[in-house]
Each structure stands twice: as C-alpha cells, then as structure tokens.
C-alpha cells in the first residue's frame, strides 16, 4: 500500500504541475500577442519538465517557419525544408512521442533522450514542442504529462494561431482596399 500511495501522490503532483503550467502558459499568451510569448512559453515548459533543452517549432501568421529555443531572446527563422525535416522526423505524431539522440538545428551538442508533442495542427503543419534530456531517459510519467499538456494547451495555441491569421488577412485586405481607393481617386482626378 505504501508503494501505491507513493505512486498516487506522484501522479497527483504531476497533474498539479501540468495544471500550474497550463495556467502559466495561458497567462503568457493572454498578456503577449507577439512571437516573444513563444519564447516565454518554451522557457516555462523547459523549467516545468526539468529538461536540459527545449524548442518550440511553429509557423507564424506570415507563413514563416520559426523555432524558439529555451534560454534565447528571439525566434529563429528556419528554411522550410529544415523545419519540416525536424518536424517530420520527430514531431509529427498525433500524440506525445519519445525518440533518441538529436540536436536542435544550429546547436552542435546532441542530447540522447527527447520527447515531443504537437501542440496545434496535424501532420507536419502547426506547432510542436521538443524537450531534451542529457542524463537518463524520459519516464512514462513525463510522456504522460506532456500528453496532458498537449491536450490542455492545444485549444489555446490553436485559437491564438487562428486569430493571428485573421489579423493578417484583415491587414492585407485593408492594404488592397487602400490601394484600390488610391487608383480610383487617381482615375477620377
């Protein structure tokens, strides 16, 4: 019974940790509409999972392929082929997944143990989190926690992404309208 009690307590602690992280990520995304929020988010995820390295891969509203690495100050643009190669090889699974040695693009040091999850999207389009560990492998509990985070945060990430796409479309439509108004005004003049 003591072993069962310990497992139950660890499970509850893990669930509370994911709930706290979900609240923190919700707060980050609510306060900051910019891509800098993604940096704060991956920093929080890395810290919560006690990972050695963490990266967030996503496609922004201008259809640019980006990556945020925990501990950096700005998003990094990646060529589409490089971005897709990383996501296809390690992140395109519908559920949280475990994989072996890999290094974040631009980082020389490969870490032996990784977990990943798609936070939004399907196939190789969307937003993906990668967590690396230098010592030991990721436990089943960590994989389960990442799956719980995926489930909890996906609607927030999806809504944020769709809102940014709509803002981009609206801005483009306003530019087209202004350009057409100028042409019409020039025609009348």
């Amino acid at each position: 019974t003591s072993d069962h009690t310990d497992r139950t307590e660890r499970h509850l602690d893990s669930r509370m940790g994911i709930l706290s992280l979900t609240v923190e990520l919700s707060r980050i995304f609510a306060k900051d509409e910019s891509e800098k929020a993604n940096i704060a988010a991956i920093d929080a995820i890395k810290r919560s999972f006690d990972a050695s390295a963490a990266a967030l891969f996503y496609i922004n509203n201008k259809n640019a392929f980006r990556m945020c690495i925990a501990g950096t100050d700005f998003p990094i643009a990646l060529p589409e082929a490089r971005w897709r190669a990383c996501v296809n090889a390690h992140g395109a699974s519908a559920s949280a997944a475990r994989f072996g040695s890999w290094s974040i693009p631009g980082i020389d040091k490969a870490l032996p143990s990784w977990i990943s999850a798609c936070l939004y999207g399907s196939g190789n389009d969307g937003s993906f989190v990668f967590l690396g560990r230098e010592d030991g492998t990721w436990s089943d509990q960590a994989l389960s926690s990442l799956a719980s985070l995926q489930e909890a945060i996906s609607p927030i990430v999806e809504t944020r992404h769709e809102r940014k796409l709509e803002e981009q479309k609206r801005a483009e439509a306003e530019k087209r309208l202004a350009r057409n108004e100028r042409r019409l005004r020039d025609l009348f003049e």
Side-chain angles (χ1 to χ4, degrees):
T1 41
S2 176
D3 187 44
H4 176 70
T5 302
D6 289 345
R7 276 187 305 210
T8 302
E9 286 177 9
R10 281 194 309 269
H11 179 72
L12 288 174
D13 287 346
S14 175
R15 299 287 295 169
M16 288 302 294
I18 292 303
L19 182 59
S20 295
L21 178 58
T22 301
V23 169
E24 182 178 0
L25 294 174
S26 298
R27 193 173 302 129
I28 288 167
F29 289 138
K31 285 175 35 178
D32 188 351
E33 290 289 322
S34 75
E35 287 186 73
K36 285 204 170 238
N38 293 332
I39 294 168
I42 198 60
D43 285 342
I45 294 168
K46 178 183 183 255
R47 195 173 44 254
S48 179
F49 279 84
D50 195 26
S52 302
L56 182 66
F57 285 65
Y58 61 98
I59 303 170
N60 71 7
N61 60 320
K62 295 178 181 169
N63 214 28
F65 294 83
R66 312 282 269 184
M67 168 184 71
C68 291
I69 301 172
T72 62
D73 294 329
F74 53 89
I76 300 165
L78 287 176
E80 180 179 355
R82 181 92 185 259
W83 188 94
R84 289 195 185 280
C86 292
V87 168
N88 287 341
H90 306 298
S93 172
S95 60
R98 191 183 279 130
F99 61 98
S101 184
W102 183 65
S103 66
I104 297 171
I107 307 294
D108 290 336
K109 184 176 181 180
L111 298 179
S113 183
W114 289 84
I115 54 176
S116 67
C118 177
L119 295 181
Y120 162 70
S122 61
N124 60 359
D125 285 333
S127 177
F128 305 87
V129 65
F130 294 86
L131 300 170
R133 177 162 281 164
E134 193 161 351
D135 299 322
T137 60
W138 289 99
S139 68
D140 290 342
Q141 182 61 48
L143 196 61
S144 175
S145 293
L146 185 58
S148 294
L149 178 65
Q150 175 187 25
E151 184 180 337
I153 203 73
S154 286
I156 296 166
V157 175
E158 180 178 4
T159 300
R160 177 182 165 90
H161 181 71
E162 289 174 355
R163 186 173 54 235
K164 294 302 253 175
L165 286 175
E166 287 302 318
E167 288 171 7
Q168 180 71 23
K169 287 178 186 176
R170 187 173 33 255
E172 289 171 2
E174 287 172 0
K175 285 179 187 176
R176 280 193 306 276
L177 180 61
R179 189 172 51 242
N180 288 340
E181 286 175 350
R182 277 193 308 276
R183 286 181 188 162
L184 190 57
R185 192 172 31 250
D186 290 345
L187 178 69
F188 284 124
E189 289 174 0

